[in-house]
Coordinates of all heavy atoms in Angstrom, one line a residue:
M1 N 145.1 25.8 -62.3 CA 144.1 25.2 -63.3 C 144.7 23.9 -63.8 O 145.8 23.9 -64.3 CB 143.9 26.2 -64.4 CG 143.0 25.8 -65.4 SD 141.3 25.9 -64.8 CE 140.4 26.1 -66.3
P2 N 143.9 22.9 -63.8 CA 144.4 21.6 -64.3 C 144.7 21.7 -65.8 O 144.0 22.4 -66.5 CB 143.2 20.6 -64.1 CG 142.4 21.3 -63.0 CD 142.6 22.8 -63.2
G3 N 145.7 21.1 -66.2 CA 146.1 21.0 -67.6 C 146.1 19.6 -68.1 O 146.1 18.7 -67.4
G4 N 146.1 19.5 -69.4 CA 146.1 18.2 -70.0 C 146.2 18.2 -71.5 O 146.2 19.2 -72.1
G5 N 146.2 17.0 -72.0 CA 146.2 16.8 -73.4 C 146.1 15.4 -73.8 O 145.9 14.5 -72.9
F6 N 146.1 15.1 -75.1 CA 146.0 13.7 -75.5 C 146.8 13.5 -76.8 O 147.2 14.5 -77.4 CB 144.5 13.4 -75.8 CG 144.0 14.2 -77.0 CD1 143.9 13.6 -78.3 CD2 143.5 15.5 -76.9 CE1 143.5 14.3 -79.4 CE2 143.0 16.2 -78.0 CZ 143.0 15.6 -79.2
V7 N 147.0 12.2 -77.1 CA 147.6 11.9 -78.4 C 146.9 10.7 -78.9 O 146.5 9.7 -78.2 CB 149.1 11.6 -78.2 CG1 149.4 10.4 -77.3 CG2 149.8 11.4 -79.5
R8 N 146.6 10.7 -80.2 CA 145.9 9.6 -80.9 C 147.0 8.6 -81.4 O 147.9 9.0 -82.0 CB 145.1 10.1 -82.0 CG 144.2 8.9 -82.6 CD 143.1 9.4 -83.5 NE 142.2 10.3 -82.9 CZ 141.2 10.0 -82.1 NH1 141.0 8.7 -81.8 NH2 140.4 10.9 -81.6
L9 N 146.8 7.4 -81.1 CA 147.8 6.3 -81.5 C 147.4 5.8 -82.9 O 146.3 5.9 -83.3 CB 147.8 5.2 -80.4 CG 148.2 5.7 -79.0 CD1 148.0 4.5 -78.1 CD2 149.5 6.2 -79.0
P10 N 148.4 5.2 -83.6 CA 148.1 4.6 -84.9 C 146.9 3.7 -85.0 O 146.2 3.6 -86.0 CB 149.4 3.9 -85.3 CG 150.4 4.6 -84.5 CD 149.8 5.0 -83.2
G11 N 146.7 2.9 -83.9 CA 145.5 2.0 -83.9 C 144.2 2.6 -83.6 O 143.2 1.9 -83.6
G12 N 144.1 3.9 -83.4 CA 142.9 4.6 -83.2 C 142.6 5.0 -81.7 O 141.8 5.8 -81.4
S13 N 143.3 4.3 -80.8 CA 143.0 4.6 -79.4 C 143.8 5.9 -79.0 O 144.6 6.4 -79.8 CB 143.5 3.4 -78.5 OG 144.9 3.2 -78.6
V14 N 143.5 6.4 -77.8 CA 144.2 7.6 -77.3 C 144.8 7.4 -76.0 O 144.4 6.5 -75.2 CB 143.2 8.8 -77.2 CG1 142.6 9.1 -78.6 CG2 142.1 8.5 -76.2
V15 N 145.8 8.2 -75.7 CA 146.4 8.3 -74.4 C 146.1 9.8 -73.9 O 146.5 10.7 -74.6 CB 147.9 8.0 -74.3 CG1 148.5 8.3 -73.0 CG2 148.1 6.6 -74.7
V16 N 145.4 9.9 -72.8 CA 145.1 11.2 -72.2 C 146.0 11.4 -71.0 O 146.1 10.5 -70.2 CB 143.6 11.2 -71.8 CG1 143.3 12.5 -71.1 CG2 142.7 11.1 -73.1
A17 N 146.5 12.6 -70.9 CA 147.3 13.0 -69.7 C 146.7 14.2 -69.1 O 146.4 15.2 -69.8 CB 148.8 13.3 -70.2
L18 N 146.5 14.2 -67.8 CA 145.9 15.3 -67.1 C 146.7 15.6 -65.8 O 147.2 14.7 -65.1 CB 144.5 14.9 -66.6 CG 143.4 14.7 -67.7 CD1 142.2 14.0 -67.1 CD2 143.1 16.0 -68.4
T19 N 146.9 16.9 -65.5 CA 147.5 17.3 -64.3 C 146.3 17.8 -63.4 O 145.6 18.8 -63.8 CB 148.5 18.4 -64.6 OG1 149.5 17.9 -65.5 CG2 149.2 18.8 -63.3
L20 N 146.2 17.1 -62.3 CA 145.0 17.4 -61.4 C 145.5 17.6 -60.0 O 146.6 17.1 -59.6 CB 144.1 16.1 -61.4 CG 143.6 15.7 -62.7 CD1 142.9 14.3 -62.6 CD2 142.6 16.7 -63.3
P21 N 144.7 18.3 -59.2 CA 145.0 18.4 -57.7 C 145.0 17.0 -57.1 O 144.2 16.1 -57.5 CB 143.9 19.3 -57.2 CG 143.2 19.9 -58.3 CD 143.5 19.0 -59.5
R22 N 145.8 16.7 -56.1 CA 145.9 15.4 -55.5 C 144.5 15.2 -54.8 O 144.0 16.0 -54.0 CB 147.0 15.4 -54.4 CG 147.4 14.1 -53.9 CD 148.6 14.2 -53.0 NE 149.8 14.5 -53.8 CZ 150.6 13.6 -54.3 NH1 150.4 12.3 -54.1 NH2 151.7 13.9 -54.9
P23 N 143.9 14.0 -55.1 CA 142.5 13.8 -54.5 C 142.5 13.7 -53.0 O 141.5 14.0 -52.4 CB 142.2 12.4 -55.1 CG 143.0 12.2 -56.3 CD 144.3 13.0 -56.0
S24 N 143.6 13.4 -52.3 CA 143.6 13.3 -50.9 C 143.5 14.7 -50.2 O 143.3 14.8 -49.0 CB 144.8 12.5 -50.4 OG 146.0 13.2 -50.8
G25 N 143.7 15.7 -51.0 CA 143.7 17.1 -50.5 C 145.0 17.5 -49.7 O 145.0 18.5 -49.0
D26 N 146.1 16.7 -49.9 CA 147.3 16.9 -49.2 C 148.1 18.1 -49.9 O 149.2 18.4 -49.4 CB 148.2 15.7 -49.2 CG 147.6 14.6 -48.4 OD1 146.8 14.9 -47.5 OD2 148.0 13.4 -48.6
G27 N 147.6 18.6 -50.9 CA 148.3 19.7 -51.6 C 149.2 19.1 -52.7 O 149.5 17.9 -52.7
G28 N 149.6 19.9 -53.7 CA 150.3 19.4 -54.8 C 149.4 18.8 -55.9 O 148.2 18.7 -55.7
D29 N 150.1 18.5 -57.0 CA 149.3 18.0 -58.1 C 149.9 16.6 -58.5 O 150.9 16.2 -58.1 CB 149.5 18.9 -59.3 CG 148.8 20.3 -59.1 OD1 147.8 20.3 -58.4 OD2 149.3 21.2 -59.8
V30 N 149.1 15.9 -59.3 CA 149.5 14.6 -59.8 C 149.3 14.6 -61.3 O 148.4 15.3 -61.8 CB 148.7 13.4 -59.2 CG1 149.1 13.3 -57.7 CG2 147.2 13.6 -59.4
R31 N 150.1 13.9 -62.0 CA 149.9 13.7 -63.5 C 149.3 12.3 -63.7 O 149.9 11.3 -63.2 CB 151.3 13.8 -64.1 CG 151.3 13.6 -65.6 CD 151.0 14.9 -66.3 NE 151.4 14.8 -67.8 CZ 151.0 15.6 -68.7 NH1 150.2 16.6 -68.4 NH2 151.4 15.4 -69.9
V32 N 148.2 12.3 -64.3 CA 147.4 11.0 -64.5 C 147.4 10.7 -66.0 O 147.1 11.5 -66.8 CB 146.0 11.1 -63.9 CG1 145.2 9.9 -64.2 CG2 146.0 11.5 -62.5
L33 N 147.7 9.4 -66.3 CA 147.7 8.9 -67.7 C 146.6 7.9 -67.8 O 146.5 7.0 -67.0 CB 149.0 8.3 -68.0 CG 150.3 9.2 -67.9 CD1 151.5 8.3 -68.2 CD2 150.2 10.4 -68.8
V34 N 145.9 8.0 -68.9 CA 144.8 7.0 -69.2 C 144.9 6.6 -70.6 O 144.9 7.4 -71.5 CB 143.4 7.6 -68.9 CG1 142.3 6.6 -69.1 CG2 143.3 8.3 -67.6
H35 N 144.8 5.3 -70.8 CA 144.8 4.7 -72.2 C 143.4 4.2 -72.4 O 142.8 3.5 -71.6 CB 145.8 3.6 -72.3 CG 145.7 2.9 -73.7 ND1 145.6 1.6 -73.9 CD2 145.8 3.5 -74.9 CE1 145.6 1.3 -75.2 NE2 145.7 2.4 -75.8
A36 N 142.7 4.7 -73.5 CA 141.3 4.3 -73.7 C 141.0 4.3 -75.2 O 141.9 4.8 -76.0 CB 140.4 5.2 -73.0
V37 N 139.8 3.9 -75.6 CA 139.4 3.8 -77.0 C 139.3 5.2 -77.5 O 139.6 5.5 -78.7 CB 138.1 3.1 -77.1 CG1 137.5 3.1 -78.5 CG2 138.2 1.7 -76.6
N38 N 138.8 6.2 -76.7 CA 138.6 7.6 -77.2 C 138.7 8.5 -75.9 O 138.8 8.0 -74.8 CB 137.3 7.8 -77.9 CG 136.1 7.4 -77.2 OD1 136.0 7.6 -76.0 ND2 135.2 6.7 -77.8
R39 N 138.7 9.8 -76.2 CA 138.9 10.8 -75.1 C 137.7 10.7 -74.1 O 137.9 10.7 -72.9 CB 139.0 12.2 -75.6 CG 140.3 12.5 -76.2 CD 140.4 13.9 -76.8 NE 139.6 13.9 -78.0 CZ 139.2 15.0 -78.7 NH1 139.7 16.1 -78.3 NH2 138.5 14.9 -79.8
A40 N 136.5 10.5 -74.6 CA 135.4 10.5 -73.7 C 135.5 9.2 -72.8 O 135.2 9.3 -71.6 CB 134.1 10.4 -74.5
R41 N 135.9 8.1 -73.3 CA 136.0 6.9 -72.5 C 137.1 7.1 -71.4 O 137.0 6.6 -70.3 CB 136.3 5.7 -73.4 CG 136.4 4.4 -72.7 CD 135.1 3.8 -72.2 NE 134.1 3.7 -73.2 CZ 133.8 2.7 -73.9 NH1 134.5 1.6 -73.8 NH2 132.8 2.7 -74.8
A42 N 138.2 7.7 -71.8 CA 139.2 8.0 -70.8 C 138.8 8.8 -69.7 O 139.0 8.5 -68.5 CB 140.4 8.7 -71.5
L43 N 138.0 9.9 -69.9 CA 137.5 10.7 -68.9 C 136.5 9.9 -68.0 O 136.4 10.1 -66.8 CB 136.9 12.0 -69.4 CG 137.9 12.9 -70.1 CD1 137.2 14.1 -70.7 CD2 139.0 13.3 -69.2
T44 N 135.7 9.1 -68.7 CA 134.7 8.3 -68.0 C 135.4 7.3 -67.0 O 134.9 7.1 -65.9 CB 133.8 7.5 -69.0 OG1 133.1 8.5 -69.8 CG2 132.8 6.6 -68.2
R45 N 136.5 6.7 -67.4 CA 137.2 5.8 -66.6 C 137.6 6.5 -65.3 O 137.5 6.0 -64.2 CB 138.4 5.3 -67.3 CG 138.1 4.3 -68.4 CD 139.4 3.7 -68.9 NE 139.9 2.7 -68.0 CZ 141.1 2.2 -68.1 NH1 141.9 2.4 -69.2 NH2 141.6 1.3 -67.3
L46 N 138.1 7.8 -65.4 CA 138.5 8.5 -64.2 C 137.3 8.9 -63.4 O 137.4 8.8 -62.1 CB 139.3 9.8 -64.6 CG 140.7 9.5 -65.2 CD1 141.3 10.8 -65.7 CD2 141.6 8.9 -64.2
R47 N 136.2 9.3 -64.0 CA 135.0 9.7 -63.2 C 134.5 8.5 -62.5 O 134.0 8.6 -61.4 CB 134.0 10.3 -64.2 CG 134.4 11.6 -64.7 CD 133.3 12.2 -65.6 NE 133.8 13.4 -66.2 CZ 133.8 13.7 -67.5 NH1 133.3 12.9 -68.3 NH2 134.3 14.9 -67.9
N48 N 134.5 7.3 -63.1 CA 134.1 6.1 -62.4 C 134.9 5.7 -61.2 O 134.5 5.0 -60.3 CB 134.0 4.9 -63.4 CG 132.9 5.0 -64.4 OD1 132.0 5.8 -64.2 ND2 133.0 4.3 -65.4
L49 N 136.1 6.2 -61.1 CA 137.0 6.0 -60.0 C 136.8 7.1 -58.9 O 137.5 7.0 -57.8 CB 138.5 6.0 -60.4 CG 138.9 4.9 -61.3 CD1 140.3 5.1 -61.8 CD2 138.8 3.6 -60.5
G50 N 135.9 8.0 -59.1 CA 135.6 9.0 -58.1 C 136.1 10.4 -58.3 O 135.9 11.3 -57.6
M51 N 136.8 10.6 -59.4 CA 137.3 11.9 -59.8 C 136.3 12.6 -60.7 O 136.3 12.6 -61.9 CB 138.6 11.7 -60.6 CG 139.7 11.1 -59.8 SD 141.2 11.0 -60.8 CE 142.3 10.1 -59.7
R52 N 135.3 13.1 -60.0 CA 134.1 13.6 -60.7 C 134.3 14.9 -61.6 O 133.8 15.0 -62.6 CB 133.0 14.0 -59.7 CG 132.6 12.7 -58.9 CD 131.8 11.8 -59.8 NE 131.4 10.6 -59.1 CZ 131.2 9.5 -59.6 NH1 131.4 9.3 -60.9 NH2 130.8 8.4 -58.9
A53 N 135.2 15.8 -61.1 CA 135.3 17.1 -61.8 C 136.5 17.0 -62.8 O 137.4 17.8 -62.7 CB 135.5 18.2 -60.9
V54 N 136.5 16.0 -63.7 CA 137.7 15.8 -64.6 C 137.2 16.2 -66.0 O 136.3 15.6 -66.5 CB 138.2 14.4 -64.6 CG1 139.2 14.2 -65.6 CG2 138.6 14.0 -63.2
Y55 N 137.9 17.2 -66.6 CA 137.6 17.7 -67.9 C 138.8 17.9 -68.7 O 139.9 18.2 -68.1 CB 136.8 19.0 -67.9 CG 135.5 18.9 -67.2 CD1 135.4 19.3 -65.8 CD2 134.4 18.4 -67.8 CE1 134.2 19.2 -65.1 CE2 133.2 18.3 -67.1 CZ 133.1 18.7 -65.8 OH 131.9 18.5 -65.2
L56 N 138.7 17.7 -70.0 CA 139.9 18.0 -70.9 C 139.5 19.1 -71.8 O 138.7 18.9 -72.7 CB 140.2 16.7 -71.7 CG 141.4 16.8 -72.6 CD1 142.7 17.1 -71.9 CD2 141.6 15.5 -73.4
R57 N 140.2 20.2 -71.6 CA 139.9 21.4 -72.4 C 141.2 21.7 -73.2 O 142.2 22.2 -72.6 CB 139.5 22.6 -71.6 CG 138.1 22.4 -71.0 CD 137.7 23.6 -70.2 NE 136.3 23.6 -69.8 CZ 135.9 23.0 -68.7 NH1 136.7 22.4 -67.9 NH2 134.6 23.0 -68.4
G58 N 141.2 21.5 -74.5 CA 142.4 21.8 -75.3 C 143.4 20.7 -75.2 O 143.1 19.6 -74.7
N59 N 144.5 21.0 -75.8 CA 145.6 20.0 -75.9 C 147.0 20.7 -75.5 O 148.0 20.5 -76.2 CB 145.7 19.4 -77.3 CG 146.4 18.1 -77.3 OD1 146.6 17.5 -76.3 ND2 146.8 17.7 -78.5
A60 N 147.0 21.5 -74.4 CA 148.1 22.3 -74.0 C 149.3 21.4 -73.5 O 150.4 21.8 -73.6 CB 147.7 23.3 -73.0
Q61 N 148.9 20.3 -72.8 CA 150.0 19.5 -72.2 C 149.8 18.0 -72.6 O 149.4 17.2 -71.8 CB 149.9 19.6 -70.7 CG 150.2 21.0 -70.1 CD 150.0 21.0 -68.6 OE1 149.5 20.1 -68.0 NE2 150.3 22.2 -68.0
P62 N 150.0 17.7 -73.9 CA 149.9 16.3 -74.3 C 150.9 15.4 -73.6 O 151.9 15.9 -73.2 CB 150.1 16.4 -75.8 CG 150.9 17.6 -76.0 CD 150.5 18.5 -74.9
P63 N 150.6 14.1 -73.6 CA 151.6 13.2 -73.0 C 152.9 13.1 -73.8 O 152.8 13.2 -75.1 CB 150.9 11.8 -73.0 CG 149.8 12.0 -74.0 CD 149.4 13.4 -74.1
T64 N 154.0 13.0 -73.1 CA 155.3 12.8 -73.8 C 155.4 11.4 -74.3 O 154.6 10.5 -73.9 CB 156.4 13.1 -72.8 OG1 156.4 12.1 -71.8 CG2 156.3 14.5 -72.2
P65 N 156.3 11.1 -75.2 CA 156.5 9.8 -75.7 C 156.8 8.8 -74.5 O 156.4 7.6 -74.6 CB 157.7 9.9 -76.7 CG 157.6 11.3 -77.2 CD 157.1 12.1 -76.0
D66 N 157.6 9.2 -73.5 CA 157.9 8.4 -72.4 C 156.6 8.0 -71.6 O 156.4 6.9 -71.1 CB 158.9 9.0 -71.4 CG 160.3 9.1 -72.0 OD1 160.6 8.3 -73.0 OD2 161.1 9.9 -71.6
E67 N 155.7 9.0 -71.5 CA 154.4 8.8 -70.8 C 153.6 7.8 -71.5 O 152.9 6.9 -71.0 CB 153.7 10.1 -70.5 CG 154.4 11.0 -69.5 CD 153.7 12.3 -69.4 OE1 153.1 12.8 -70.4 OE2 153.8 12.9 -68.3
V68 N 153.5 8.0 -72.9 CA 152.8 7.0 -73.7 C 153.3 5.6 -73.5 O 152.5 4.7 -73.3 CB 152.8 7.5 -75.2 CG1 152.1 6.4 -76.1 CG2 152.1 8.8 -75.3
T69 N 154.6 5.5 -73.6 CA 155.2 4.1 -73.4 C 154.8 3.5 -72.1 O 154.5 2.4 -71.9 CB 156.7 4.2 -73.6 OG1 157.0 4.7 -74.9 CG2 157.4 2.9 -73.4
A70 N 154.9 4.3 -71.0 CA 154.6 3.9 -69.6 C 153.2 3.3 -69.5 O 152.9 2.2 -69.0 CB 154.9 5.0 -68.6
V71 N 152.2 4.1 -70.0 CA 150.8 3.7 -69.9 C 150.5 2.5 -70.8 O 149.7 1.7 -70.4 CB 149.9 4.9 -70.1 CG1 149.7 5.3 -71.5 CG2 148.5 4.6 -69.4
L72 N 151.1 2.4 -71.9 CA 150.8 1.3 -72.8 C 151.4 0.0 -72.3 O 150.8 -1.1 -72.6 CB 151.4 1.5 -74.2 CG 150.7 2.6 -75.0 CD1 151.4 2.8 -76.4 CD2 149.3 2.3 -75.3
H73 N 152.4 0.0 -71.5 CA 153.0 -1.2 -70.9 C 152.4 -1.5 -69.5 O 152.8 -2.5 -68.9 CB 154.5 -1.0 -70.8 CG 155.2 -1.2 -72.1 ND1 155.4 -0.1 -73.0 CD2 155.7 -2.2 -72.8 CE1 156.0 -0.5 -74.1 NE2 156.1 -1.8 -74.0
H74 N 151.4 -0.8 -69.1 CA 150.8 -1.1 -67.8 C 149.5 -1.9 -68.1 O 148.7 -1.4 -68.9 CB 150.5 0.1 -67.0 CG 150.1 -0.2 -65.6 ND1 148.8 -0.4 -65.2 CD2 150.9 -0.3 -64.5 CE1 148.8 -0.6 -63.9 NE2 150.0 -0.6 -63.4
P75 N 149.2 -3.0 -67.4 CA 148.0 -3.8 -67.7 C 146.7 -3.0 -67.5 O 145.7 -3.3 -68.2 CB 148.1 -5.0 -66.7 CG 149.2 -4.7 -65.8 CD 150.0 -3.6 -66.3
D76 N 146.6 -2.1 -66.5 CA 145.4 -1.3 -66.3 C 145.2 -0.2 -67.2 O 144.1 0.3 -67.4 CB 145.3 -0.8 -64.8 CG 145.2 -2.0 -63.8 OD1 144.8 -3.1 -64.2 OD2 145.6 -1.7 -62.7
G77 N 146.3 0.4 -67.7 CA 146.2 1.6 -68.6 C 145.9 2.8 -67.8 O 145.4 3.8 -68.4
L78 N 146.1 2.8 -66.5 CA 145.9 4.0 -65.7 C 147.1 4.1 -64.7 O 147.4 3.3 -63.9 CB 144.7 3.8 -64.8 CG 143.3 4.1 -65.4 CD1 142.2 3.5 -64.6 CD2 143.1 5.6 -65.5
L79 N 147.8 5.3 -64.8 CA 149.0 5.5 -64.0 C 149.0 6.9 -63.5 O 148.3 7.8 -64.0 CB 150.3 5.3 -64.8 CG 150.5 3.9 -65.4 CD1 151.7 4.0 -66.3 CD2 150.8 3.0 -64.3
W80 N 149.8 7.2 -62.5 CA 150.0 8.5 -61.9 C 151.3 8.7 -61.3 O 152.0 7.7 -60.9 CB 148.9 8.9 -60.9 CG 149.1 8.1 -59.6 CD1 148.7 6.9 -59.3 CD2 149.8 8.6 -58.4 NE1 149.1 6.5 -58.0 CE2 149.8 7.6 -57.5 CE3 150.4 9.8 -58.2 CZ2 150.4 7.8 -56.2 CZ3 151.0 10.0 -56.9 CH2 151.0 9.0 -56.0
R81 N 151.7 9.9 -61.2 CA 152.9 10.3 -60.3 C 152.8 11.8 -60.0 O 152.0 12.5 -60.6 CB 154.2 10.0 -61.0 CG 154.6 10.9 -62.2 CD 156.0 10.5 -62.7 NE 156.2 11.1 -64.0 CZ 157.2 10.7 -64.8 NH1 158.1 9.8 -64.4 NH2 157.4 11.3 -65.9
G82 N 153.6 12.2 -59.1 CA 153.5 13.6 -58.6 C 153.9 14.6 -59.8 O 154.7 14.2 -60.6
A83 N 153.4 15.8 -59.7 CA 153.7 16.8 -60.7 C 154.0 18.1 -60.0 O 153.3 18.4 -59.0 CB 152.5 17.0 -61.7
P84 N 154.9 18.9 -60.4 CA 155.8 18.6 -61.5 C 156.8 17.5 -61.1 O 157.2 17.4 -59.9 CB 156.5 19.9 -61.7 CG 156.5 20.6 -60.4 CD 155.2 20.2 -59.8
D85 N 157.1 16.7 -62.1 CA 158.0 15.5 -61.8 C 159.4 15.9 -61.8 O 160.0 16.5 -62.7 CB 157.8 14.5 -62.9 CG 158.7 13.3 -62.8 OD1 158.8 12.8 -61.6 OD2 159.2 12.9 -63.8
P86 N 160.1 15.6 -60.7 CA 161.5 15.9 -60.6 C 162.4 14.9 -61.4 O 163.6 15.0 -61.4 CB 161.8 15.8 -59.1 CG 160.8 14.9 -58.6 CD 159.6 15.1 -59.4
G87 N 161.8 13.9 -62.0 CA 162.5 13.0 -62.8 C 162.9 11.7 -62.0 O 163.5 10.8 -62.5
Q88 N 162.6 11.7 -60.7 CA 163.0 10.6 -59.9 C 161.9 9.7 -59.5 O 162.1 8.5 -59.3 CB 163.6 11.1 -58.5 CG 164.7 12.1 -58.7 CD 166.0 11.4 -59.2 OE1 166.1 10.2 -59.1 NE2 166.9 12.1 -59.8
E89 N 160.7 10.2 -59.5 CA 159.5 9.3 -59.1 C 159.1 8.4 -60.2 O 159.0 8.8 -61.4 CB 158.4 10.3 -58.7 CG 157.2 9.5 -58.1 CD 156.1 10.4 -57.7 OE1 156.2 11.6 -57.8 OE2 155.1 9.9 -57.1
L90 N 158.8 7.2 -59.9 CA 158.3 6.2 -60.8 C 156.8 6.3 -60.9 O 156.1 6.9 -60.1 CB 158.6 4.8 -60.3 CG 160.1 4.5 -60.2 CD1 160.3 3.1 -59.7 CD2 160.8 4.6 -61.6
W91 N 156.2 5.7 -62.0 CA 154.8 5.7 -62.1 C 154.2 4.7 -61.2 O 154.7 3.7 -60.9 CB 154.4 5.3 -63.6 CG 154.8 6.4 -64.5 CD1 155.9 6.5 -65.3 CD2 154.1 7.6 -64.8 NE1 155.9 7.6 -66.1 CE2 154.8 8.4 -65.7 CE3 152.9 8.1 -64.3 CZ2 154.4 9.6 -66.2 CZ3 152.4 9.4 -64.8 CH2 153.2 10.1 -65.7
H92 N 152.9 5.0 -60.7 CA 152.2 4.2 -59.7 C 150.9 3.8 -60.3 O 150.3 4.6 -61.1 CB 151.9 5.0 -58.4 CG 153.1 5.6 -57.8 ND1 154.1 4.9 -57.1 CD2 153.6 6.9 -57.9 CE1 155.0 5.7 -56.7 NE2 154.8 6.9 -57.1
P93 N 150.4 2.6 -60.0 CA 149.0 2.3 -60.4 C 148.0 3.2 -59.7 O 148.2 3.7 -58.6 CB 148.8 0.8 -59.9 CG 150.0 0.4 -59.2 CD 151.0 1.6 -59.2
I94 N 146.9 3.4 -60.4 CA 145.9 4.4 -59.9 C 145.3 4.1 -58.5 O 145.0 4.9 -57.7 CB 144.8 4.6 -60.9 CG1 144.0 5.9 -60.7 CG2 143.8 3.4 -61.0 CD1 144.8 7.1 -61.0
R95 N 145.2 2.8 -58.2 CA 144.7 2.4 -56.9 C 145.6 2.9 -55.7 O 145.1 3.1 -54.6 CB 144.4 0.9 -56.8 CG 145.5 0.0 -56.9 CD 145.1 -1.4 -57.0 NE 146.2 -2.2 -57.5 CZ 146.4 -2.5 -58.8 NH1 145.6 -2.0 -59.7 NH2 147.4 -3.2 -59.2
A96 N 146.9 3.1 -56.0 CA 147.8 3.7 -54.9 C 147.4 5.1 -54.6 O 147.6 5.6 -53.5 CB 149.2 3.6 -55.4
L97 N 146.9 5.8 -55.6 CA 146.5 7.2 -55.4 C 145.2 7.3 -54.7 O 145.0 8.2 -53.8 CB 146.4 7.9 -56.8 CG 145.9 9.4 -56.7 CD1 147.0 10.3 -56.0 CD2 145.7 9.9 -58.2
L98 N 144.3 6.4 -55.0 CA 142.9 6.5 -54.4 C 142.8 5.7 -53.2 O 141.7 5.7 -52.6 CB 141.9 6.0 -55.5 CG 142.0 6.7 -56.8 CD1 141.1 6.1 -57.8 CD2 141.6 8.2 -56.6
G99 N 143.8 5.0 -52.7 CA 143.8 4.3 -51.5 C 143.1 3.0 -51.5 O 142.6 2.5 -50.5
G100 N 142.9 2.4 -52.7 CA 142.1 1.2 -52.8 C 142.9 0.0 -53.0 O 143.9 -0.3 -53.0

């Protein structure tokens, strides 16, 4: 079951973190981070990229401070890496996951 959560930043925007099945169907999961104005906009950004069945239920796995820092310093505000993370993999831009 996909898990996720969010954190509201002092400026009012949010960072949403979701653990989803890998879109390519190769097995395994990915951790996706999205920076947006609000939770609904974050999920809409992912749906517009083709991830149609993306929902955020609860706040069981909110982004860590390191994840928040990573997504805030990326120009697109959309990142991913494999999950569970062994601590070695770097964050990738979302287009690397979607093949675009």
